[in-house]
Amino acid sequence: MRSHRKLVIGIAATIGVILLLLILLPYLFRDRIAARVRSEIAKSVNADVRWSSVGIGLLRDFPNVTFRLNDFAVINQKPFEGDTLVAMQQLRVVLDLASVVRNVTSGGAIVVREVSVQQPVARLRVLKDGTANWDIMKERPAEQADTSKALAVSLRHLAVDDADIVFDNRQSDLAAALAGLNLELNGDFTQDRFDLGTRVKADAVTVRFAGMTYLDDVAVGLDTDIGADMRAKRFTFDDDRLRLNDLTLAFDGSVGIGEENTALDLTFATPSTDFGEILSLVPAVYSKDFENVQTSGKMSVSGKVKGNYGPDAFPTLALRATVENGSFRYPDLPLPARDIAVDLAVDNPGGEVDNTVVKLDRFHVVLGQRPMDAQLVLRTPVSDPEVQLAMKGSVDLRDVGRTVKLENVKQLAGLVSADFSVHTKKSWVDAGQYDRVSASGSLAASHVAASGDALPHPVAVDTAQLRFTPRRAELPTFVAKIGSSDVRANGSLENVIGFALGDEVLRGQATVASNKFDLNEWRSDEESEIIPVPRNVDFTLGFSAKQVLYGKLDIANARGRVLVKDQRVTLDGFRMNMLGGDVLANGYYETTTPAKPTFAFDVDVDSVDIPTAFSSLVTVQRLVPIARYARGTFSSKLALNGPLAENMTPVFDVLSGKGSFATAGVAIEGFPPLAKLADAINVEQLRDPTMRALKAAFTIQKGRLFVKPFDLSIGNIAMTVSGSNGIDQTLDYDLALAVPTSILGTSASQAISKLASNAGRAGIDLGSAAAVSIGVNVTGTVTDPTVRPSFTGTASSLKEGVQQAVETQVESRVTEAKEKVDSAAIEARRRASAQAEQIVNEAEQRAAQIRAAADTAAARVRSEADEKAKALVEKANNPALRIAAQAGANKLRQEADDQANNIIREAGERADSLVADARRKAAAIAPPDSSGP
């Protein structure tokens, strides 16, 4: 009994140890295996291969080991640098456990048993020179390849789940897209020959070849066993079936994979002749209730592909598709589409893709009582496309809605007719050989009405006509209404064929007029996106509209030219009446770098209403916050440039510009900085002032608007303003006020009294000044400002009461001198001469004081700028930011130096003017004696 218990315990312990090892071993070897995989990848590929995490397990696929890479991606290097070649949610690989152990211990080959890929996304590209972005394997010396083997394949199962693949081969002009692809391959890859079970399903496949679409969002299915010869790398098909929507193709043949080329030998045909099967490839018909569609008529599809396909090889290709007496009808719609006939042939004798010839010898359909016919021939589609196209017939759009179920269409009516033919080659158009081009006929529409969920607003085309000539397409008339907007247009397009067939510039001109054009009807409720300006367009548009609505703007009499060229839209002499005034705009919007659009505009504004401008324009709201509190009109000249964000608004923190503004008078109500200033010096005139005419100049740099010093008057208060405000609503302004002493509050008067006693010791009678200068520094934000008044003199000392007192003394002495001359001429002349000399001396002293005060103010400006510059540099915490900060600091110092020089220059001018005026008055008192001895 005891021995049995020991046996059970021993077995349980052994199983526990084994389970513990199965759990722990993956963690013990995970890092080493991951490092080995990373090392082998680095040795093998020219690409950036990355993943977020690695997982290893032994239990799920015991006795094999499961290796997982999560968020796996392969990023290309040059010439596709930065492009994602493939990315997937998870790559799961089942490895032979013994081979993994041998690889870790002795470097043996790892044997792969199973591969599973979850939600892969692949972008496969081939350039015109044949360079493929999946050609990423590094070349290794032959001897190294022979003696080193890190990976062996003994695959039995391959699964791909929900793949999204895009293939773009510019060399062969072949493009394909597969969405919702599920792939499963089963077989014993250790054998030279075996049956490869293949299960393929794709939700939507699109194929374009030589400029034509052959499959458009078609569901694809394939369920077959393929004969695989791994030694010969040849795969054989025997009456296998491929499903394209409802169309089934039976195909036979083989595919052989070589080092350079793929050998193709395939034939295919439709087992059925039911017209409904090929009809399923028409998206507009297949998308809605196709299973209920009643069809009749016969069709056939057949073809073959034989030969090598590769960088320098193309197989022979033949495709035939025909439809005879086809018709279809939805049981709940009144009209059938009838008499459908198609005769399509695609041929290539082999050698290269450019030998392909597409012939649509016949296309015929009748909707209602109106037939439509078309023919097409396309040759040399890659090197020099040659196109012959003819179309004749008409369509009553109401019959379209009566024949085909149109989703989300509420109204469709009107008549569209076509009768035109074109025969041209790209080379003829390139060379301007329009005498060789054949183009004639017209396309017309009348009384067209359309509305539905896909259209933001109903569209009504009263009449439209397009005429074709070898050189151009002419639009003699176009009259339509889009929503509430009416449009009248005429014009022409040149080089339409060259633009359609190749990389040629489409040129044209048009005139558009409207009584009312409401742009708001075309604005999306979602956040705006960048609007790219198309390449290869050179178009001139003359535009006029009696009313244009955009956002809160109601624009009248808009007129001017719009030029589209070089991915730039330019406004030329665009005039409009808006915001209660007149606006002239010139400038451009450019998307040469689509992700980083830029703009530059010069705007001339005349007598625009300030409150309306603030409520309507985000630029005014961000850069001129005082406009919120202002009433009146203004005129301005503004030059503005910079980048635009993804929502098509300016990137304000890097905006640049300059300009000026002027107003005949403006009332300010409730502006917080002026309210605080009124409280600080107890002057109520400053709280809600009305300002007389003023002019100012400004610049815009890095999100701040800098105002150059300008003068304004508030009642009998003179003020000089300079400084800046930011898009973050911060303020940094200096105000210099000349305030009459009679209206100063108590606190200001006390400060001035102290100054007067100090000034008296310097011979200045400050107390006799009619007005006194007060410096004010305004910081903080618009809604929470900090106001610091100063009574000790500011950079605006040119307006100080000292100068006023001097001028008053001069005038008083002149008057006294003149009175003395009248009473005693000789004595008066002597005294007047002395008085005149004294006047000049005193003026020179006052001038020296003005210059000294200016020097002090200039020094203060330079000192403050130097402190700000040092602080800016100190905040930079890395070399790159420090370089940028140093440049900003240098600019601060330069601007301060310019301001200081202006202060000194203006002080010198005032001082010189004061002395000159004193000399003139002195000469009037005691003119030079010209009578002689």
Side-chain angles (χ1 to χ4, degrees):
M1 189 72 177
R2 184 174 299 173
S3 61
H4 287 297
R5 183 181 300 172
K6 288 182 179 180
L7 179 61
V8 171
I9 294 174
I11 293 173
T14 301
I15 295 174
V17 170
I18 293 174
L19 289 175
L20 184 62
L21 288 174
L22 290 175
I23 296 172
L24 293 180
L25 281 175
Y27 293 96
L28 296 176
F29 289 102
R30 179 177 61 183
D31 293 340
R32 296 182 64 183
I33 295 174
R36 185 61 178 261
V37 171
R38 193 182 299 274
S39 174
E40 290 299 327
I41 288 175
K43 293 178 183 177
S44 303
V45 302
N46 290 308
D48 179 13
V49 181
R50 60 186 68 165
W51 54 80
S52 64
S53 61
V54 176
I56 299 179
L58 282 169
L59 296 178
R60 176 175 176 176
D61 296 288
F62 186 80
N64 296 317
V65 59
T66 303
F67 182 76
R68 295 183 305 276
L69 294 176
N70 298 314
D71 299 323
F72 179 81
V74 179
I75 312 299
N76 277 121
Q77 297 178 359
K78 292 181 179 180
F80 305 94
E81 187 169 7
D83 291 351
T84 298
L85 172 61
V86 64
M88 61 193 70
Q89 186 182 74
Q90 185 183 87
L91 172 63
R92 176 176 168 270
V93 182
V94 178
L95 309 172
D96 178 78
L97 177 60
S99 72
V100 173
V101 175
R102 286 195 300 271
N103 178 271
V104 173
T105 58
S106 60
I110 296 178
V111 178
V112 180
R113 299 291 189 189
E114 181 180 342
V115 176
S116 176
V117 180
Q118 298 292 321
Q119 296 183 353
V121 176
R123 299 293 181 262
L124 310 177
R125 298 172 57 196
V126 180
L127 302 180
K128 288 187 176 181
D129 63 3
T131 304
N133 70 337
W134 63 82
D135 186 12
I136 60 175
M137 300 304 295
K138 291 181 179 179
E139 293 185 4
R140 291 191 179 186
E143 62 274 10
Q144 181 179 353
D146 293 337
T147 59
S148 176
K149 189 177 182 183
L151 190 67
V153 176
S154 180
L155 192 64
R156 284 173 171 76
H157 182 74
L158 170 65
V160 177
D161 181 39
D162 195 17
D164 183 357
I165 301 173
V166 175
F167 176 75
D168 183 9
N169 189 332
R170 301 292 176 87
Q171 187 181 48
S172 61
D173 198 16
L174 173 64
L178 296 86
L181 173 66
N182 292 277
L183 170 68
E184 188 173 356
L185 301 178
N186 293 287
D188 187 356
F189 282 80
T190 61
Q191 303 296 317
D192 289 339
R193 295 183 179 183
F194 62 94
D195 288 335
L196 177 62
T198 305
R199 309 292 180 266
V200 179
K201 182 178 179 296
D203 295 336
V205 177
T206 298
V207 177
R208 287 181 59 86
F209 173 61
M212 294 189 63
T213 300
Y214 289 86
L215 298 177
D216 188 3
D217 284 342
V218 172
V220 173
L222 176 65
D223 188 348
T224 186
D225 291 326
I226 301 172
D229 185 341
M230 300 305 294
R231 184 179 294 275
K233 295 183 180 180
R234 187 169 179 268
F235 301 90
T236 304
F237 305 89
D238 183 13
D239 196 28
D240 290 314
R241 303 298 171 103
L242 174 66
R243 181 178 56 81
L244 307 173
N245 283 347
D246 279 14
L247 178 68
T248 299
L249 290 176
F251 61 97
D252 299 270
S254 64
V255 175
I257 301 176
E259 293 184 2
E260 293 292 334
N261 299 320
T262 299
L264 302 172
D265 187 2
L266 298 171
T267 60
F268 57 90
T270 52
S272 170
T273 61
D274 183 2
F275 169 65
E277 291 191 8
I278 197 170
L279 184 67
S280 72
L281 299 182
V282 181
V285 179
Y286 187 72
S287 60
K288 190 71 173 177
D289 296 337
F290 184 75
E291 65 276 6
N292 298 322
V293 176
Q294 301 167 358
T295 64
S296 64
K298 294 183 178 181
M299 69 88 195
S300 66
V301 176
S302 62
K304 63 178 180 179
V305 181
K306 187 172 184 178
N308 290 327
Y309 175 77
D312 299 311
F314 197 84
T316 59
L317 169 67
L319 170 68
R320 297 290 182 272
T322 61
V323 175
E324 296 180 2
N325 299 319
S327 71
F328 70 88
R329 180 174 182 172
Y330 287 88
D332 53 346
L333 292 180
L335 292 179
R338 56 189 176 85
D339 297 340
I340 301 172
V342 176
D343 190 353
L344 173 67
V346 180
D347 290 287
N348 190 310
E352 57 180 296
V353 66
D354 204 36
N355 295 330
T356 302
V357 177
V358 179
K359 285 186 177 182
L360 179 64
D361 286 332
R362 187 185 183 199
F363 174 82
H364 177 80
V365 64
V366 177
L367 296 182
Q369 300 300 317
R370 297 180 180 274
M372 178 65 71
D373 291 274
Q375 296 86 37
L376 170 69
V377 178
L378 174 64
R379 296 184 177 90
T380 57
V382 177
S383 64
D384 186 14
E386 180 182 359
V387 176
Q388 290 177 265
L389 172 65
M391 184 173 290
K392 185 175 182 179
S394 61
V395 175
D396 186 335
L397 297 180
R398 289 178 301 177
D399 290 343
V400 175
R402 296 170 179 173
T403 305
V404 180
K405 290 191 174 182
L406 303 175
E407 294 185 1
N408 304 319
V409 175
K410 298 177 182 178
Q411 182 186 18
L412 185 64
L415 182 64
V416 177
S417 59
D419 186 1
F420 66 88
S421 63
V422 175
H423 178 204
T424 187
K425 294 181 72 173
K426 182 177 180 295
S427 58
W428 298 346
V429 177
D430 292 346
Q433 297 173 336
Y434 291 102
D435 56 321
R436 305 183 68 178
V437 176
S438 173
S440 62
S442 64
L443 180 66
S446 61
H447 307 296
V448 172
S451 64
D453 296 343
L455 296 173
H457 297 279
V459 175
V461 179
D462 183 66
T463 179
Q465 186 178 13
L466 194 63
R467 289 199 298 256
F468 299 97
T469 68
R471 287 183 175 271
R472 62 176 60 89
E474 298 177 347
L475 182 70
T477 179
F478 180 83
V479 179
K481 191 170 185 180
I482 305 169
S484 63
S485 304
D486 63 283
V487 178
R488 303 178 303 281
N490 61 77
S492 65
L493 291 174
E494 296 183 7
N495 201 28
V496 177
I497 298 173
F499 178 76
L501 296 181
D503 200 22
E504 300 289 324
V505 175
L506 178 67
R507 291 179 293 274
Q509 59 81 31
T511 300
V512 176
S514 175
N515 291 313
K516 177 186 177 183
F517 204 82
D518 190 352
L519 292 172
N520 293 318
E521 294 181 343
W522 297 93
R523 297 175 68 182
S524 172
D525 294 334
E526 300 177 358
E527 187 174 345
S528 302
E529 296 181 352
I530 294 171
I531 303 173
V533 182
R535 295 176 60 251
N536 297 331
V537 173
D538 183 355
F539 196 81
T540 300
L541 175 69
F543 180 82
S544 64
K546 293 181 180 179
Q547 183 185 29
V548 177
L549 301 176
Y550 182 71
K552 297 181 179 180
L553 296 176
D554 189 345
I555 303 169
N557 299 322
R559 65 272 188 204
R561 291 201 311 162
V562 180
L563 312 177
V564 181
K565 187 176 181 180
D566 298 331
Q567 293 186 271
R568 173 185 286 190
V569 176
T570 302
L571 296 185
D572 180 24
F574 214 84
R575 297 180 179 274
M576 63 203 91
N577 307 126
M578 57 184 287
L579 306 175
D582 299 322
V583 176
L584 170 63
N586 292 281
Y588 67 83
Y589 162 73
E590 185 176 63
T591 59
T592 50
T593 304
K596 298 178 180 179
T598 59
F599 77 98
F601 282 100
D602 293 333
V603 182
D604 193 343
V605 175
D606 184 22
S607 303
V608 164
D609 181 65
I610 296 175
T612 306
F614 181 85
S615 63
S616 304
L617 301 176
V618 66
T619 305
V620 175
Q621 296 168 8
R622 303 291 293 273
L623 293 175
V624 194
I626 193 175
R628 177 191 294 272
Y629 308 91
R631 300 291 181 271
T633 61
F634 76 98
S635 299
S636 176
K637 293 182 182 296
L638 172 64
L640 200 62
N641 65 86
L644 292 171
E646 291 183 356
N647 61 356
M648 297 293 289
T649 60
V651 182
F652 285 98
D653 55 357
V654 292
L655 206 60
S656 297
K658 63 180 180 178
S660 63
F661 69 89
T663 177
V666 62
I668 306 295
E669 298 177 1
F671 188 44
L674 287 181
K676 283 199 173 183
L677 177 58
D679 292 336
I681 62 176
N682 197 18
V683 176
E684 284 300 310
Q685 280 184 244
L686 297 172
R687 188 174 302 279
D688 294 317
T690 298
M691 303 175 186
R692 294 191 289 272
L694 59 89
K695 294 182 179 180
F698 59 86
T699 59
I700 300 171
Q701 296 176 353
K702 297 181 180 180
R704 295 195 72 83
L705 184 143
F706 294 87
V707 179
K708 296 181 180 180
F710 70 94
D711 299 329
L712 59 89
S713 298
I714 300 175
N716 54 355
I717 301 173
M719 183 186 299
T720 299
V721 180
S722 64
S724 68
N725 57 267
I727 60 171
D728 55 0
Q729 306 296 286
T730 58
L731 303 173
D732 186 8
Y733 277 94
D734 288 318
L735 313 179
L737 288 76
V739 184
T741 54
S742 60
I743 66 171
L744 283 172
T746 304
S747 59
S749 298
Q750 291 174 351
I752 290 170
S753 297
K754 293 180 181 179
L755 288 175
S757 62
N758 294 331
R761 289 195 290 270
I764 303 173
D765 186 9
L766 187 61
S768 66
V772 64
S773 292
I774 302 175
V776 181
N777 180 240
V778 181
T779 56
T781 64
V782 173
T783 56
D784 186 20
T786 299
V787 175
R788 297 185 182 89
S790 172
F791 304 103
T792 59
T794 66
S796 302
S797 61
L798 306 178
K799 299 181 180 296
E800 290 178 343
V802 174
Q803 180 180 335
Q804 185 175 351
V806 169
E807 292 175 351
T808 302
Q809 290 175 7
V810 170
E811 294 292 341
S812 176
R813 292 171 186 245
V814 169
T815 301
E816 292 175 0
K818 287 183 178 180
E819 291 176 352
K820 290 180 181 180
V821 169
D822 292 337
S823 61
I826 297 174
E827 181 66 20
R829 178 171 293 181
R830 183 185 65 80
R831 292 182 179 179
S833 178
Q835 188 73 18
E837 184 178 355
Q838 183 179 357
I839 288 172
V840 174
N841 290 338
E842 289 179 352
E844 289 176 343
Q845 292 176 5
R846 303 301 179 265
Q849 292 173 354
I850 290 172
R851 289 189 175 95
D855 289 339
T856 302
R860 184 176 70 85
V861 169
R862 289 190 175 100
S863 176
E864 291 177 352
D866 188 62
E867 291 177 0
K868 290 180 180 179
K870 290 179 180 177
L872 182 64
V873 174
E874 290 174 356
K875 288 180 181 179
N877 53 16
N878 65 60
L881 291 177
R882 187 173 294 274
I883 291 172
Q886 188 62 55
N890 293 338
K891 189 171 184 180
L892 281 174
R893 292 189 178 99
Q894 182 60 49
E895 291 175 350
D897 195 53
D898 292 342
Q899 183 181 354
N901 290 335
N902 286 337
I903 291 172
I904 294 173
R905 178 181 54 77
E906 292 177 4
E909 291 174 355
R910 292 290 185 95
D912 291 343
S913 176
L914 181 65
V915 173
D917 189 51
R919 292 185 187 278
R920 286 193 297 271
K921 293 175 180 179
I925 295 172
D929 189 359
S930 59
S931 61

